[in-house]
Amino acid sequence: MFTKKLSNIEVKCGLIRFGADNKEMFPANGESVKFIDNHGEEYVTHTHRTVNRIDGLTAMHKNNNAHEGTTITVKAINGYDNTYQVIYN
């Protein structure tokens, strides 16, 4: 589990960046990943091929009214491979 504040770039470009200390929490580069937001909506995307980020989350950010400074908590859902809950605070 990790918590972070979204930057303007993350919201605008629909991504979540994560540091090397959280890399082992996510699948290998280029692999599929599923996020479930506050409303139970599912978003299937992938990890970036070369950097520590997840792309393809513009709709998720928009549907949760994210903006620069929005705090999110991301945690793995036990028993479901590559599936994570994202809580927008």
Side-chain angles (χ1 to χ4, degrees):
M1 177 173 77
F2 78 96
T3 300
K4 70 171 294 175
K5 287 186 178 183
L6 295 174
S7 70
N8 184 49
I9 295 297
E10 287 173 304
V11 175
K12 183 179 176 181
C13 297
L15 52 99
I16 296 174
R17 294 183 286 195
F18 54 91
D21 51 335
N22 293 310
K23 184 167 178 59
E24 58 189 57
M25 178 179 168
F26 295 103
N29 294 353
E31 289 190 22
S32 180
V33 62
K34 181 190 293 186
F35 287 102
I36 302 172
D37 71 5
N38 292 7
H39 310 289
E41 294 291 325
E42 296 182 1
Y43 303 86
V44 178
T45 187
H46 61 279
T47 55
H48 193 273
R49 292 192 182 274
T50 58
V51 296
N52 295 340
R53 75 176 190 221
I54 298 165
D55 297 324
L57 299 173
T58 303
M60 185 173 77
H61 288 336
K62 183 177 180 179
N63 292 341
N64 287 278
N65 300 313
H67 53 82
E68 181 179 8
T70 296
T71 301
I72 61 168
T73 301
V74 180
K75 63 181 180 177
I77 299 176
N78 291 333
Y80 296 90
D81 291 340
N82 303 339
T83 302
Y84 305 85
Q85 180 180 19
V86 180
I87 300 166
Y88 286 78
N89 300 314

